[in-house]
Amino acid sequence: MTSTLTSPTDWSTWTPDLRTTLFFVVRDEQVLLIEKKTGIGHGKINGPGGKIEADESPADCARRELQEELKVVATEPQLVARLFFSDVEDLNILVYVFLADQMIGDPVETEEAKPLWSSRDKLPLDDMWEDDQYWLPQVLNGESIDGYFQFRNERLLGFTIQPLGMGNSPQL
């Protein structure tokens, strides 16, 4: 378990305002990322993803968002992380993170995202969300995790990372 600072959030009663996904395709030690061109995270590098619609599962959302943002279809997405974000002054966001090693098609730039491949060992962490450095290398190395992150004004205040499903996760 990795942890820093005590969080003012009571994670046992925490509920998400927004449920979203991220999807990472890994091929030959390369990770498919995007430069986000719209919405939350505009200008940052991340994985494709977006908001879960009322009638879809997290896995269905992840596949849909990958197709919308990069025009590719991934097969057999595997849930590798649940990320719980609490911002003292903003939203509570739950992110389901998926990995796949197969996809159909070649990624193309769309209005929402510009694709880029990165080495698993040299991720562009300076251009990503501050929390990514603490959990993304772990899931790319085969760990499945729950991550709890406390933010204020897009600044990371503290976090805890533990094995997937092992903690006092809120009711989802």
Side-chain angles (χ1 to χ4, degrees), residues 53-72:
E53 295 178 0
D55 62 339
E56 70 184 344
S57 70
D60 289 341
C61 173
R63 284 189 289 265
R64 175 182 55 77
E65 289 287 347
L66 182 67
Q67 198 282 324
E68 288 175 5
E69 292 183 5
L70 297 177
K71 306 299 181 194
V72 295

Side-chain angles (χ1 to χ4, degrees), residues 53 88 103 169:
E53 295 178 0
V88 174
M103 72 177 176
S169 299

Side-chain angles (χ1 to χ4, degrees), residues 23-105:
F23 204 134
F24 297 92
V25 177
V26 180
R27 273 194 188 164
D28 302 320
E29 299 302 311
Q30 296 286 307
V31 181
L32 179 58
L33 302 170
I34 62 167
E35 180 180 329
K36 188 93 162 96
K37 295 168 62 177
T38 62
I40 296 174
H42 175 263
K44 292 193 183 292
I45 294 176
N46 207 340
K51 297 174 193 164
I52 299 172
E53 295 178 0
D55 62 339
E56 70 184 344
S57 70
D60 289 341
C61 173
R63 284 189 289 265
R64 175 182 55 77
E65 289 287 347
L66 182 67
Q67 198 282 324
E68 288 175 5
E69 292 183 5
L70 297 177
K71 306 299 181 194
V72 295
V73 176
T75 57
E76 300 183 35
Q78 300 297 311
L79 178 67
V80 294
R82 296 181 304 175
L83 307 177
F84 303 84
F85 293 96
S86 179
D87 190 309
V88 174
E89 299 168 358
D90 200 9
L91 295 172
N92 289 333
I93 302 174
L94 170 58
V95 181
Y96 295 90
V97 181
F98 293 87
L99 286 183
D101 60 5
Q102 302 284 328
M103 72 177 176
I104 300 166

Side-chain angles (χ1 to χ4, degrees), residues 7 9 11 20 31 42 45-46 52 74 77 97-98 114 129 132 136 149 152 157-158 172:
S7 172
T9 299
W11 294 105
T20 68
V31 181
H42 175 263
I45 294 176
N46 207 340
I52 299 172
V97 181
F98 293 87
K114 178 180 177 181
W129 288 98
D132 291 352
L136 185 54
F149 300 91
R152 177 180 283 129
L157 301 178
L172 305 178

